Every structure is written in C-alpha cells, then in structure tokens.
C-alpha cells in the first residue's frame, strides 16, 4: 500500500505517523498558502496543489490525479474536508484507489441525518421525536406547536457537522429568524440549506460510541466517551469513558450502537452519537440516537488512550481486508477502559468576558508542548510557524490519561499538561479550558450539552492562565519588547495617529502609500478574516506618514495599519460626498463575479467554435432562444464546482409579452454537454432537489433540456469521469407533481439513455440530430 493523506494539520500528522509505524509509504498534499504546515514534512513525498485555502483540499479531481500520478493505491481523508463525501469515496473506487473509511452507500446513508434516523429506528434503536425529512418553515412551526408546553425544538442541518446550521427554538416568535439563520449557515457550510427538526432534550448528555467493522460483516466497539462540553454545539473537551454513567445504561447504549452498525453492514471506523438523560426522569427511554459520524473522529484519542488500540492503524488494516478477529479486537478485555482520558481542544482564539469568541492568528514565536507520563499532544505547530485564518482554528489536542479509577486524577493530569503548554505569538483558549477543568460541576459530572453556553460568562471571567512551566536560569527566549509590540502595535512617527484593524485577519489590500492625503471615510486597507472582508476606513483626515503592514501580512485586532498626521484636506469628509462611485465593487464580490464569468460562452470562445463546427448549439444559446431577453435568473451557478456550467438552471419568462409575470414564468434546467465536469455529486443532487422543490411549491412549469444526459444508473463518460444529471430523480418529481403536461424532446442517439426520463412524459418529440432550434 502507498497512502495519500487528503488532509492537513494535526490529523494529517496523526495519520502519517500511524502509516510510518506500519511501514506504509505516504504522500502529503498542500496548496501554496499552506506549505508551512507541519504535515508537509512528515511524509515521504509532498505534492503542491493548485488553488488556495480549504478549496484546494476539497478539489476531488485534483487530489485523485495526484494520488494516481504519485503511485498511491489508497487515500485517507482524515476528518473534515472530504472525509464523509460519498462522491469522493466513489470516485476513488472508480479510479482504483482504496478509500480508508466506510463504504460509499454507508456514507450516503449517514450523510443525510434524517435518513440516518430512519435507519436507526429500523434497527430498533430509539430516536428523538422529530421529522425525518427536510421541512419548510410552516412544517417546523407545526411541529413546535405539537410539543408539550415548555418543550423546545432543535432546527438542524440535514447534512454536515461541526455545530453549523443548528439552533434551539423555545418559542414560535423566534422560529422564523432561527430558521433563516440555520438555512443560510448550512447552505454556506455544506452547500445544502435543508433542515429537519427534532425535540430538544433539556439537560441531556452527549455520549458517543466508537465502532469498528470489517469487510466480512463483523462489528465491535471500543467503549463510549462523553462529549457534553460544547460551545454552540462545537465540542471543547471529551472524556472516555463517560464519568458517572450507570453501567446498565452504558451497556444499553453500546448495544444500540452495535445493532445499528450491524444492520447497515458498517465497515471501518465510525462513531454513533446519542443524547442521554441519566437523571432517572425517563426510565423507559433514557437515551436516543441522534447521528453517526462515518469517519475517524476528532476525539478518537481518548478512546485510544483507555483501550490501547491505534484506531488509525486499525482503519488501514481493516481497509486491506483484515478481520476484527485477526486484529484481536473481538477480545472482551479490549473494550474495557483502563482509567480515564480527557482531551482538551486548544484553539487559536480568545474568549471575552462576555463570552464572545475572537479568532487569532500570527506567527508562533514559541511552541513548546507538554510531556510526561500519561500526556499526549496531537498538534502541528512549531516555533516560527505562521498560522492561517483560512483554516479551522484548532491548533492542538492535549490528552491526559490516568489509569486510576478516580476521574479527578485524569483532570489533574490534563490540567497540569495545559499549564505546561507554552505558546507565544497567538492567543489560545487554554485559560478557558483550564477554567472548565477547575469547575466543580465538571468534576462531579453535573454537565449537559448547554452547560458551557449557560455558564460561559462565569467561566470566561475566571479564565486566567495557570502556568507551571519554569523558565531556565538564563531566562526565557522571548524578548519583552517584542511581546509589547505584539500587544500594542508599533509606534508611528512622532505626533502621528495610528488607524487600527477592527479584527484580526490577513491584509488583502493596502490602498494608500506614504504622502497620500486621506479624507474621513476613505478606504485605507482591507482585512480578511473567516472568509469575510473588513474595510479599514479613515476616521479622520490627514496625510499618510507610515504604513506598517503589507498585503499578505497577518494583523492583530487593534493593531495600527496606517499612520497619519491629522490635518484638514481638500474635499472634506468622504462619507458626506454624494459623488462616491456607486459602481464600486468590493474585492470579495469581484472575486465571486469573476468566477461566475467562467460559466458563460464568451469565456470559452474556442470551445464554442469547435461545438458549432460539429453542428451543435451551446446550452446557453438554447436557453437564450427559449426565454425572454434578460429574464433568465440563474440558480446556484457556483455550486458543486460548476463554474464551467456543467448543470445550468434558473428561472425566466417565456412569451412574457403575451402573459403576465405569473403565467409566463418557467424553470429551465439544461445539462451542458460541453462542460468537462461531473454533475452527479452530492452538491449537484442537492441543487437539483432544490430547484424541483421550488417548481412544486410555486407551481412553476419546468423545461428540461436532456441532450447528452444519462440517468442515475447510466451516466455518460468523459475522460473516465461520470457526467450527467439525475434524470431518475427528475422523473420521480414529475410523477409526483402532476403539475402540467410533460413534453420530452430527444434526439435519436440520446433516446435510450433518457428512457427513464422520457417514460414520465405525456408527449415525446424525437429529432434526428441534436440541433434543436427554438
């Protein structure tokens, strides 16, 4: 086996180490802006990707091409990015690459949380009361109204993880705002804004069971862990095993996880998650299934610590065909925990006294990890490493393990480790983690999923660093003056005034130079943080006398970027000037518009000319002939890597001069056979689902151009990749809607491939060639 690790940071380092111990050669990947990440130096080979930021690690085709070119026969996705992407797993299989994770059908099943609930219920596992499908705002309101008085509801994204797209709704008054927030957050994070609902269990604990399955049908478990310490549904601290969980309840939860895994033929590693009411108030159903993470879990470290099982190595060997028995994982003693282990997630962020979160980035002047008996640190930092705001804020995971049966011993071990973790150059949440570990409720197990959110103000107020590292007699290798500059920023020329960044981020534009006159309201620089751009504008007029930052530099919040000598300048305040250019386009919006341009024929003039030479028409030419001029509003042109226009859809008017707006409106869906890109992937399917749902909801007729399309079971091929549209899905939509008569138009050579689609049409028009004039 030769393994490509399709990830970065601490999880990539973790996988590379496991592979090295098994003698497996490895390949790391990275975009140019992540070349300094530690994982690039841990593999035998490292290959640079085109692109930047997270988008490069999400480029399935490029990653698969790198795997093939470097001679790899397996890919480990880690967690996050492509780890639960069924389309990526399927593409790996099509290219002869072993995907280190569950089967494609398993990823598809558990990638939809509503379907996962149905599967759990079918296996006899209790689920929380809810609706197992995407719901409208009206349906969510009806569900909330059906709950008993005083009960709350959860809105949850139907796909994805990480706490995004989740809100608790306690009253009907707040539902609409919460619904829209969840939809937009889920759409931005996962490309799918669908939501489902379930009852919110107040005071419940979040308990997870680690499962391993082989390719021969055997499944086993490695015990459970406690994951209730969360902030806005994002985990901070995990514990294995779950402290204070009654033995009989633990056995019932583990048995439920095994039943569910066995019922779907689960293979490789996965985590089955449950909400648990251990208060005794609900003896009949004290636990319920919520979802499955079909991948390596972030908190796998605590399970490894108390069982001694290397889960990543087990993944690799199970993928090669080893059985649970051959690996010795079916022995009864394996799942018996030895003491307690606690994982604390060290993130590059600070917590304000009001509980607000402030992301942090910069260069690590010092990075010294804790050590000693029972202490493990999984991280990717090093002195001199320049961190990036383009990726997740997780920097390291500190794990403390004590073989003692006393939970407090593991707390002391982890607290000591955190106090020895020395990081200079960026802010971290270590003081906040220490505050949680020192809390009496955490020690006694009096916690639940909203514990941190309810106590965050008090926890933040008591978050003072507790350091135990001892500086050498010669002094610490940190210069006090440098630290002062990091905290307060540089001093400008005498008498000057510094204009500071409102947030920590990366400088992407500097609009002025020394000597420029600036007016109140004038744009000085642009800072990007968490994928959003923030303008630094002058709050006074004057002349620029110094600029402290350059494009690409990371600036801290409150750090002066431009210094000016204050004075009156010609023109007065810019904000009061009515001559401001109304056509000015922000940089982030310009980037999006530039991407959209790639979807149009003018961008690919040579390809269009070749297409015309074959006697064929482009998709956009067909659409332009069908709809009224300038009426077509495209839907999701940048979704699912379709900047080349592989699947074009939108709303336009047809014969608008003869009918009113309502009766001339039509939805158009057109597969672009010119595009060199797949359409049958998770985001592409969601995009189609959404447009058909809108057609059904608003009673809008659909015009589907099917030229060159396959069906969901019979795709066209181009360059070894699948292309086409899910015509079976469209056919089902058509049968169910019964909105208008359906007319199918297909050329002779495409007829067979479109049989499933055309079968649902009321009228079929066949043509001899593929050029259909409107």
């Amino acid at each position: 086996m030769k393994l490509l690790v399709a990830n970065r940071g601490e999880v990539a380092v973790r996988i590379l180490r496991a592979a090295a111990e098994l003698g497996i050669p490895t390949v790391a990947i990275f975009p140019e802006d992540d070349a300094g990440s530690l994982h690039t130096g841990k593999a035998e080979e490292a290959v640079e990707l085109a692109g930047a930021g997270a988008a490069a690690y999400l480029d399935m085709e490029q990653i698969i091409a790198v795997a093939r070119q470097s001679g790899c026969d397996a890919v480990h996705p880690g967690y996050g990015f492509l780890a639960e992407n069924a389309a990526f797993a399927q593409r790996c299989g099509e290219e002869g690459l072993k995907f280190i994770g569950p089967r494609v059908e398993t990823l598809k099943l558990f990638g939809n949380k509503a379907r996962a609930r149905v599967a759990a219920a079918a296996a006899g596992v209790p689920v929380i009361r809810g609706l197992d499908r995407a719901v409208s705002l009206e349906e969510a309101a009806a569900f909330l109204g059906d709950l008993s008085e005083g009960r709350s509801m959860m809105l949850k994204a139907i796909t994805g993880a990480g706490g995004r797209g989740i809100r608790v709704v306690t009253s009907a008054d707040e539902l609409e705002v919460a619904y829209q927030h969840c939809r937009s957050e889920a759409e931005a994070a996962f490309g799918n804004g669908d939501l489902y609902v379930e009852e919110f269990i107040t005071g419940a604990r979040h308990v997870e069971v680690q499962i391993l399955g082989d390719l021969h049908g055997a499944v086993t478990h490695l015990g459970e862990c406690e994951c209730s310490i969360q902030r806005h549904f994002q985990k901070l601290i995990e514990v294995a095993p779950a402290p204070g969980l009654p033995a009989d309840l633990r056995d019932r939860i583990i048995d439920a996880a095994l039943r569910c895994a066995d019922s779907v033929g689960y293979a490789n590693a996965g985590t089955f998650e449950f909400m648990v009411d251990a208060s005794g108030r609900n003896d009949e159903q004290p636990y319920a299934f919520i979802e499955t993470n079909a991948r390596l879990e972030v908190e796998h470290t605590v399970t490894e610590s108390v069982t001694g099982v290397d889960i990543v190595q087990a993944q690799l060997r199970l993928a090669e065909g080893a059985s649970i028995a051959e690996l010795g994982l079916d022995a009864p003693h394996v799942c018996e925990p030895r003491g307690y282990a606690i994982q604390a997630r060290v993130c590059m962020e600070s917590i304000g006294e009001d509980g607000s979160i402030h992301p942090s980035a910069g260069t690590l002047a010092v990075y010294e990890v804790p050590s000693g008996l029972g202490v493990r640190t999984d991280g990717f930092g090093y002195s001199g490493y320049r961190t990036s705001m383009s990726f997740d804020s997780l920097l390291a995971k500190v794990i403390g393990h004590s073989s003692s049966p006393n939970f407090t011993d593991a707390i002391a071990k982890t607290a000591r480790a955190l106090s020895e973790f020395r990081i200079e150059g960026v802010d971290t949440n270590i003081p906040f983690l220490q505050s949680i570990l020192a809390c009496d409720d955490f020690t006694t197990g009096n916690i639940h999923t909203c514990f941190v959110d309810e106590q965050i103000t008090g926890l933040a107020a008591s978050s003072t660093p507790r350091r135990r590292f001892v500086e050498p007699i010669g002094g610490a290798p940190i210069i006090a003056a440098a630290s002062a500059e990091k905290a307060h920023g540089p001093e400008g020329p005498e008498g000057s005034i510094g204009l500071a960044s409102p947030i920590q981020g990366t400088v992407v534009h500097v609009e002025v130079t020394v000597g420029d006159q600036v007016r109140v309201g004038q744009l000085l620089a642009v800072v990007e943080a968490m994928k959003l751009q923030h303008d630094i504008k002058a709050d006074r007029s004057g002349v620029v006398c110094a600029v402290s930052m350059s494009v690409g530099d990371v600036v801290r919040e409150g750090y002066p970027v431009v210094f000016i000598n204050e004075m009156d300048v010609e023109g007065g305040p810019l904000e009061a000037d009515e001559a401001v250019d109304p056509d000015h386009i922000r940089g982030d919006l310009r980037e999006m518009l530039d991407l959209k341009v790639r979807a149009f024929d003018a961008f690919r003039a040579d390809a269009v000319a070749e297409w015309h030479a074959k006697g064929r028409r482009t998709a956009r030419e067909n659409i332009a002939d069908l709809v009224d001029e300038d009426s077509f509003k495209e839907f999701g042109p940048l979704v699912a890597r379709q900047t080349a226009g592989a699947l074009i859809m939108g709303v336009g008017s047809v014969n608008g001069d003869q009918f009113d707006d309502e009766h001339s409106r039509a939805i158009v869906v057109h597969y672009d056979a010119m595009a060199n890109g797949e359409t049958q992937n998770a985001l592409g399917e969601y995009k189609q689902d959404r447009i058909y749902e809108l057609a059904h909801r608003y009673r809008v007729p659909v015009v589907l151009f099917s030229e060159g399309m396959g069906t969901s079971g019979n795709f066209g091929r181009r360059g070894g990749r699948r292309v086409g549209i899910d015509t079976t899905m469209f056919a089902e939509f058509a049968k169910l809607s019964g909105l208008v008569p359906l007319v199918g138009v297909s050329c002779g050579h495409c007829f067979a491939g479109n049989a499933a689609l055309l079968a649902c049409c009321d009228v079929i028009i066949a043509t001899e060639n593929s050029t259909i004039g409107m």
Side-chain angles (χ1 to χ4, degrees):
M1 178 189 290
K2 185 175 182 180
L3 180 70
L4 181 138
V5 179
N7 217 300
R8 69 176 299 275
E10 58 88 17
V11 66
V13 172
R14 166 72 185 95
I15 296 165
L16 292 167
R17 285 171 171 163
E21 292 174 12
L22 291 176
I24 298 173
T26 52
V27 175
I29 56 174
F30 65 95
E32 182 181 5
D33 64 342
D34 201 28
S37 186
L38 187 63
H39 75 283
T40 62
K42 294 290 185 181
E44 280 81 1
E45 303 173 44
V47 179
E48 183 175 340
L49 300 172
Y57 290 103
L58 292 169
D59 191 333
M60 296 190 292
E61 295 303 329
Q62 184 178 192
I63 291 171
I64 289 171
V66 169
R68 295 295 303 275
Q69 293 163 9
S70 57
C72 292
D73 53 11
V75 176
H76 197 309
Y79 43 71
F81 293 137
L82 297 171
E84 295 177 273
N85 190 308
F88 179 61
Q90 185 158 328
R91 287 288 296 117
C92 286
E94 291 170 351
E95 296 295 335
L97 298 168
K98 194 180 270 91
F99 179 83
I100 309 300
R103 297 182 176 94
V104 172
E105 55 269 27
T106 304
L107 292 172
K108 288 182 177 179
L109 171 63
F110 291 117
N112 184 305
K113 297 177 185 178
R115 290 181 59 201
R117 284 169 47 91
V118 174
V125 176
V127 297
I128 299 173
R129 180 184 177 188
L131 298 178
D132 300 327
R133 54 181 169 78
V135 299
S136 65
L137 176 61
E138 294 74 20
E139 289 171 323
F143 179 81
L144 178 62
D146 288 341
L147 297 177
S148 303
E149 186 175 354
R151 295 281 190 175
S152 302
M153 174 185 76
M154 287 194 76
L155 288 168
K156 301 178 74 173
I158 209 162
T159 60
R164 298 177 179 90
I166 298 178
R167 293 286 191 283
V168 176
V169 179
T170 58
S171 69
D173 294 340
E174 62 191 53
L175 175 59
E176 183 172 359
V177 172
Y179 184 88
Q180 298 305 332
H181 281 177
C182 282
R183 282 191 65 86
S184 60
E185 192 172 274
E187 182 70 40
F190 316 123
N192 179 12
D194 286 344
L195 308 176
Y196 72 105
V197 293
E198 63 184 20
E199 184 176 356
F200 177 64
I201 309 300
T202 305
R205 296 168 63 177
H206 186 148
V207 175
E208 302 180 353
V209 179
Q210 178 69 64
I211 292 293
L212 290 173
D214 62 28
L215 297 175
H216 313 288
V219 293
T220 190
H221 75 92
L222 297 177
E224 87 293 344
C225 67
E226 173 77 63
C227 302
S228 300
I229 299 298
Q230 308 172 4
R231 181 194 67 240
H232 305 319
F233 305 108
Q234 295 180 336
K235 300 166 190 171
L236 293 171
I237 294 176
E238 297 93 1
V239 183
L245 191 66
D248 61 333
L249 181 54
R250 172 182 288 109
D251 291 343
R252 291 172 64 186
I253 294 171
I254 290 174
D255 179 66
L258 287 172
R259 287 203 316 275
C260 193
D262 185 63
S263 70
V264 299
Y266 200 98
N268 216 270
T271 310
F272 287 72
E273 304 189 2
F274 298 85
M275 297 301 287
V276 179
D277 181 359
S279 65
R281 293 171 297 186
N282 190 355
D283 292 333
E284 292 185 4
Q285 187 178 314
Y287 69 94
F289 170 87
I290 49 175
E291 62 183 73
T292 294
N293 286 331
R295 53 166 167 79
L296 179 69
E297 186 74 314
V298 181
E299 54 269 25
H300 72 277
T301 57
V302 289
T303 301
E304 290 182 330
S305 296
V306 297
T307 63
V309 175
D310 187 317
I311 293 176
V312 177
Q313 289 190 7
Q315 281 189 289
L316 294 168
R317 297 186 65 185
L318 288 168
E320 287 188 301
S323 68
I324 293 292
E326 288 171 345
L327 298 181
L329 297 174
D330 58 345
H333 69 276
V334 172
C335 60
E336 290 297 326
R338 299 188 293 274
Y340 288 94
I342 301 173
Q343 172 178 280
R345 303 190 188 191
V346 176
C347 298
M348 294 177 286
E349 61 188 27
S350 59
I351 317 297
E353 290 188 2
D354 60 352
S356 58
I357 311 300
H358 303 278
S360 177
T363 299
L364 299 180
V366 172
Y367 183 86
E368 297 176 1
V369 303
S371 58
L373 182 64
V375 173
R376 166 180 171 180
T377 303
D378 282 17
F380 64 103
Y382 57 87
S383 296
Y385 174 56
R386 184 174 178 175
T387 67
S388 172
M389 297 285 283
S390 299
F391 303 102
D392 190 88
S393 65
L394 180 65
L395 179 63
K397 303 182 303 191
V398 175
I399 303 96
H401 172 232
S402 170
S403 57
S404 163
N406 297 319
F407 179 45
T408 53
D409 293 337
I411 295 176
K413 180 85 68 175
T414 310
R416 188 273 295 173
L418 286 173
S419 71
E420 292 185 3
F421 204 152
R422 189 176 178 204
I423 301 173
E424 302 288 348
V426 299
D427 295 327
T428 73
N429 65 337
I430 287 179
F432 190 71
L433 296 172
Q434 291 173 320
S435 182
I436 295 173
L437 292 177
C439 180
D440 289 340
D441 285 334
F442 180 78
T443 303
T444 59
N446 184 27
I447 56 174
H448 50 83
T449 55
C450 294
F451 167 77
V452 171
D453 292 332
E454 292 175 358
Q455 305 290 332
I456 194 166
T457 303
L459 291 169
S462 61
S463 296
T464 54
R466 302 169 178 87
R467 293 187 171 182
R468 295 181 61 88
F469 66 81
V470 179
E471 296 177 0
I473 293 176
I478 281 291
I479 301 172
S483 295
E485 181 172 304
K486 285 184 175 62
H488 306 293
E491 295 292 333
E494 184 176 356
S496 67
I497 298 172
L499 303 179
S501 172
I503 194 168
Q504 178 157 305
T506 302
V507 178
V508 294
H509 295 290
V510 177
E511 305 291 337
V512 295
T513 59
V514 173
D516 287 353
Q517 290 188 353
V518 297
R519 300 154 60 190
V520 172
Q522 183 172 334
L523 180 66
L524 306 179
V526 180
V527 175
E528 186 173 274
M530 305 299 284
K531 302 180 182 179
L532 297 176
Q533 294 191 346
H534 305 264
D535 293 341
I536 302 176
K537 293 184 177 181
D539 61 358
R540 63 200 70 208
S541 298
V543 177
V544 177
C545 57
V547 179
S548 66
M549 308 294 288
S550 301
V551 172
D553 289 344
V554 175
V555 60
R556 297 171 68 90
E557 180 181 355
Y559 192 100
V561 176
V562 176
F563 292 88
I564 66 171
N565 288 321
E566 188 173 9
M567 63 180 66
D568 293 332
V569 299
E570 185 178 353
L574 187 64
E575 292 171 339
D577 192 342
E578 296 181 358
V580 174
D581 183 7
D583 295 324
H584 171 71
I585 300 176
R586 296 195 320 270
D588 54 347
L589 180 57
R590 168 55 59 194
E591 182 180 359
M592 184 196 73
L593 293 175
D594 289 344
L595 285 173
K596 288 181 67 174
V597 166
R598 301 182 186 182
F600 298 105
D601 290 348
F603 185 82
R604 45 182 182 169
D606 291 343
V608 170
E610 293 178 7
W611 205 249
H612 286 168
K614 298 176 183 179
R616 307 186 73 175
R617 297 160 54 87
T618 71
R620 293 190 180 275
E621 287 172 335
N622 282 342
I623 294 174
D625 278 355
L626 172 68
V627 302
D628 298 333
E629 186 176 0
D630 296 329
S631 70
F632 185 66
K633 306 300 181 185
E634 190 167 350
F635 177 79
L638 300 183
V639 173
R641 299 174 58 247
Q642 291 173 28
T643 53
L647 188 63
I648 304 169
M649 57 178 65
V651 180
S653 64
V654 179
N655 297 328
D657 57 339
Q658 302 176 34
F659 303 97
D660 58 27
D661 289 345
E662 181 179 353
H663 293 93
S664 66
R665 184 173 54 190
I667 284 175
V668 183
V669 179
H670 200 313
Y671 168 58
D672 184 359
M674 285 179 58
N676 186 22
E678 63 178 24
T679 58
Q680 182 65 15
N681 56 37
L683 294 180
E685 289 181 1
Y686 297 145
K687 182 176 173 180
Q688 293 179 63
D689 277 341
R690 180 59 176 154
I691 199 81
Y692 299 151
E693 175 192 337
L694 291 173
H696 197 177
R697 180 184 300 176
Y698 296 107
R699 297 298 190 267
V700 181
V702 176
V703 178
L704 176 65
F705 288 81
S706 65
E707 178 187 7
M709 301 187 322
T711 69
S712 59
N714 180 24
F715 295 93
R717 305 288 297 188
R718 180 177 291 108
R721 293 190 293 172
R722 304 191 321 159
V723 296
I725 190 171
D726 191 342
T727 51
T728 301
M729 177 172 64
F730 179 83
E732 289 301 316
F733 154 76
K735 291 176 183 177
L736 291 174
S737 64
L739 301 180
V740 294
L742 292 162
V743 179
V745 181
S746 181
C747 62
H749 70 272
C750 291
F751 190 94
N754 288 305
L757 170 65
L758 297 173
C760 69
C761 295
D762 299 284
V763 178
I764 300 174
I765 301 174
T767 67
E768 295 182 358
N769 57 60
S770 59
T771 303
I772 305 173
M774 291 294 107

